[in-house]
Each structure stands twice: as C-alpha cells, then as structure tokens.
Amino acid sequence: MPEQDPSREETTQPGGGLAGEVAELEHSGLCALVGRPNVGKSTLLNALLGEKVSIVTRKPQTTRHRILGVANRPGAQAVFVDTPGLHERGKRALNRQLNRAALGALEDIDVVVLVTRGLEWRSEDERVLESLEGVSAPVVLAINQVDRIPDKRRLLPHMERLQGRRDFAALVPVSATRGENLEALEQEVVQRLPAGPPLFPADQLTDRDLAFRLGELVREQLMLALGDELPYATTVQVEGLERDGGLLRVAAVIWVESEGQKPIVIGREGKRLKKIGRRARLEMESLLGERVHLDLWTKVKERWTDDQRALQRFGYTD
Ligand SMILES: Nc1nc2c(ncn2[C@@H]2O[C@H](COP(=O)(O)OP(=O)(O)OP(=O)(O)O)[C@@H](O)[C@H]2O)c(=O)[nH]1
C-alpha cells in the first residue's frame, strides 16, 4: 500500500480537527490508473492535478513506484493512484516488484481507470484487462493520446469494439498532453466515488515526501540522458536535504549495478553527469520556486535490481 496509508479515522482536517469532525464529502475515494507501460498514465495524473507529481519520459517503465495524487474539487476529493505499467512477467526481482506494486494498488479501490493509447489494443492491454477480472470496482476506459489519431472517424468504431471486451462503466477519449476532455474523465470518476470524509488534508497534493520527489526528478533526467538499456539498471536516492539561507542543498546518489556502468553515467570529462545534474536542478527549482544546489554522484550496488534487500533499501515496497 502507499507509504502513508490514508486511514479515514486518522485523517486530520486542514484546520487540525479530527476526522470525526470533518464534514462528509459527497464523493471521496481512491481511483487507480492502470495500463501497460508508456500509454500516458503519469502524464494523465499530472494533467488531472495541474502539477508534476509523477515523472514522464518516452521510455516504457518510467514509473517505478505507486504514487498518490490528490485532486480536491467542490464537494469531492479524488485520490488518484499512478501505478507502474503492468508488463510481461520479468525474471528480475525489480520487474516482479513493479507488477506487485501495480496490482496491489487495486485493493480498496473505488474506481479503476484503464488507460490505453490511440487506436491501439495490444496483447499487453488484453493482459491488463485480464488482471482486472476479479476487481469489482467500476472500470472506466480512458483512450489517451487521441491527438495522435489522424482520422477521428475511426475512434467511434474502436470504442464500440472495446465496449465488447468488458462492461466498462464509461469510455472517454482524452489527450493528457493537450488537456482535452479531462473534465469529462474526472466527472466519470468522481460521480462513482462514495460519500465520506476526505482521505487527505486539502493542502496535501501527494503522499510522497520532498526527498522522493526530488530523487525522481534526477531519475527522469537520467532516463532521458541514457540509452535504452542502462536506465533500468539505475536508481536514485536523495541522501541529504538541507536549507542554507535561501538555498536548498540536495545530495543525491545515482546507483548503478556494476563498475562498468559508472563511466557511462558520468560521461566524457563528467559531461553527462553535469548535464543530468543541471537539468534536474532546474526542474527542482521550477517545482519549488526556490534556488537549489544539487550534489550528484554515482555508486555501485552489484546487481541491485535482483536483490530483494537492496530493493527495500531503495524504497521499492509493495
Ligand atoms: N501525443 C501525446 N503523447 C502523450 C500523451 N500522454 C502521454 N504522452 C506521452 O507518452 C509518453 C509516455 O507517457 P507516461 O506518462 O510516462 O506513460 P506511463 O503510462 O506512465 O508509462 P510507464 O511509466 O511506462 O508506466 C511520454 O512521452 C508522454 O509525453 C497524449 O495525450 N498525447
């Protein structure tokens, strides 16, 4: 489950009161965003929240953790759960962990949004649908990236075909990057959430702490800077966060799996690492609206992606 288990009993009001005193909302609950890798789940989460809480790259399997994003609307609170893309059963502990994190998100869920891309319906989408077979929560299908469909007349027959696959509660074509039709999707979700107190205080946007979010911004730049294979052998840990006058000092480690991978991350004359650091720092500054000093270095943890204890240490939990 999420790092901070949103217990209804312990929820505090923005004013500090206990949950018992919190006014019931007409709609309050959890909505999981699921789908195969790279369909746009994280982009959709960020678009629904209006802020980057989950990192995005063109590479599949960018999302490695379950991340909550809280959308407060008049009379409603929808807590969206971004999940790692469900993928083929991998051999490594990390792959198994990612699938567990994605499927574990389906416990206690009020609504599921299954995200697909354009006019595609692949065997991986079919497999995700199969994994929803035992789920009793309503499933809304969000057909994302409709901006990439050149002939929009093909959308309706595609939707009709998909409706035959499962009794979807609704089918909503959206474009996460252009912000198209997101209110309609949100409406389909919110109206299906039960009445209840809010799960999170109104001023809390995500369950993840600052260190995690800053580490993710480094990992995003790392994935963008590296080729196809190495990103999956790296992870990032923020080891220090310190305020120094008007400056936030961040110390982060990029973990790799072998000595041989270090020079690839660092690059010739340290150029690649510098570029990753500079871009991550700018992302941090734009997120926080304050100046950041980022210290970045690389360390080796042999075969960490297949080491259960290392996974725990790096924050990969169910
Ligand atoms: N054209 C277009 N591109 C999109 C849209 N939504 C997402 N993308 C792009 O699709 C790519 C993948 O997006 P992500 O949000 O990382 O996808 P994801 O499903 O979270 O991926 P995983 O982390 O692999 O599970 C990125 O390059 C996005 O910019 C959209 O509506 N239109």
Side-chain angles (χ1 to χ4, degrees), residues 38-43 58 61-63 85 144 147-148 176-177:
N38 228 17
V39 288
K41 299 177 291 298
S42 302
T43 310
R58 288 218 305 275
Q61 298 173 34
T62 298
T63 305
N144 189 30
D147 55 287
R148 295 176 62 184
T177 46

Side-chain angles (χ1 to χ4, degrees), residues 97-115:
Q97 178 63 43
L98 294 186
N99 278 347
R100 260 204 308 277
L103 292 173
L106 297 176
E107 293 162 17
D108 306 324
I109 282 294
D110 298 299
V111 180
V112 176
V113 171
L114 169 58
V115 186

Side-chain angles (χ1 to χ4, degrees), residues 35-44 55-63 82-85 117 144-148 174-178:
R36 68 176 161 88
N38 228 17
V39 288
K41 299 177 291 298
S42 302
T43 310
L44 192 55
I55 59 169
V56 172
T57 77
R58 288 218 305 275
K59 293 183 181 158
Q61 298 173 34
T62 298
T63 305
D82 188 15
T83 61
R117 181 166 75 181
N144 189 30
Q145 310 205 15
V146 289
D147 55 287
R148 295 176 62 184
V174 295
S175 167
T177 46
R178 295 202 183 161

Side-chain angles (χ1 to χ4, degrees), residues 7-310:
S7 145
R8 285 173 198 251
E9 280 74 36
E10 287 170 13
T11 307
T12 52
Q13 240 177 345
L18 290 174
E21 304 159 28
V22 176
E24 284 243 324
L25 296 172
E26 215 176 314
H27 301 288
S28 168
L30 290 163
C31 169
L33 303 172
V34 301
R36 68 176 161 88
N38 228 17
V39 288
K41 299 177 291 298
S42 302
T43 310
L44 192 55
L45 177 72
N46 295 339
L48 288 165
L49 298 181
E51 188 177 318
K52 185 163 170 177
V53 296
S54 194
I55 59 169
V56 172
T57 77
R58 288 218 305 275
K59 293 183 181 158
Q61 298 173 34
T62 298
T63 305
R64 288 206 189 140
H65 302 268
R66 208 178 305 152
I67 296 172
L68 297 192
V70 186
N72 290 294
R73 305 290 182 253
Q77 184 182 78
V79 178
F80 290 98
V81 189
D82 188 15
T83 61
L86 279 164
H87 39 79
E88 303 296 328
R89 236 170 274 255
K91 279 198 220 82
R92 286 173 172 236
L94 177 64
N95 285 61
R96 290 196 300 272
Q97 178 63 43
L98 294 186
N99 278 347
R100 260 204 308 277
L103 292 173
L106 297 176
E107 293 162 17
D108 306 324
I109 282 294
D110 298 299
V111 180
V112 176
V113 171
L114 169 58
V115 186
T116 60
R117 181 166 75 181
L119 297 174
E120 296 169 356
W121 182 264
R122 298 183 184 175
S123 59
E124 286 169 286
D125 297 304
E126 190 67 42
R127 208 116 46 220
V128 177
L129 192 64
E130 279 166 18
S131 70
L132 296 176
E133 259 163 25
V135 173
S136 56
V139 180
V140 172
L141 184 73
I143 301 171
N144 189 30
Q145 310 205 15
V146 289
D147 55 287
R148 295 176 62 184
I149 304 175
D151 182 1
K152 298 284 187 288
R153 285 172 305 184
R154 294 177 62 196
L155 189 56
L156 200 59
H158 177 67
M159 288 167 74
E160 279 166 359
R161 258 193 315 276
L162 293 190
Q163 185 62 76
R165 298 256 159 204
R166 180 181 171 128
D167 189 14
F168 292 113
L171 288 87
V172 190
V174 295
S175 167
T177 46
R178 295 202 183 161
E180 277 168 22
N181 224 19
L182 297 183
E183 302 84 42
L185 175 63
E186 194 177 286
Q187 207 39 51
E188 294 292 352
V189 170
V190 166
Q191 66 176 348
R192 291 181 170 84
L193 299 178
L199 300 172
F200 284 90
D203 58 356
Q204 189 174 343
L205 186 70
T206 172
D207 62 325
R208 296 294 178 163
D209 63 16
L210 187 59
F212 173 86
R213 293 182 72 186
L214 299 182
E216 286 287 276
L217 293 179
V218 176
R219 201 164 62 76
E220 182 175 50
Q221 294 307 324
L222 192 61
M223 291 200 69
L224 291 169
L226 297 175
D228 280 345
E229 290 301 319
L230 201 51
Y232 305 106
T234 61
T235 193
V236 176
Q237 217 180 11
V238 169
E239 299 200 327
L241 263 186
E242 201 184 318
R243 251 172 238 290
D244 181 0
L247 194 70
L248 182 68
R249 290 187 182 278
V250 183
V253 176
I254 296 171
W255 290 95
V256 293
E257 284 204 305
S258 66
E259 279 297 335
Q261 291 171 347
K262 254 179 154 178
I264 305 173
V265 171
I266 294 168
R268 203 174 300 151
E269 294 163 10
K271 279 198 180 128
R272 182 175 277 154
L273 189 62
K274 267 200 202 118
K275 185 170 152 196
I276 292 167
R278 191 175 56 246
R279 294 195 169 170
R281 177 177 56 78
L282 291 174
E283 284 283 327
M284 291 175 187
E285 289 181 341
S286 97
L287 179 76
L288 301 171
E290 62 183 316
R291 281 204 307 134
V292 171
H293 175 91
L294 174 63
D295 273 325
L296 208 52
W297 64 95
T298 55
K299 285 187 188 172
V300 180
K301 174 78 191 155
E302 297 281 339
R303 292 180 56 79
W304 70 266
T305 56
D306 213 11
D307 176 344
Q308 200 58 47
R309 279 187 41 202

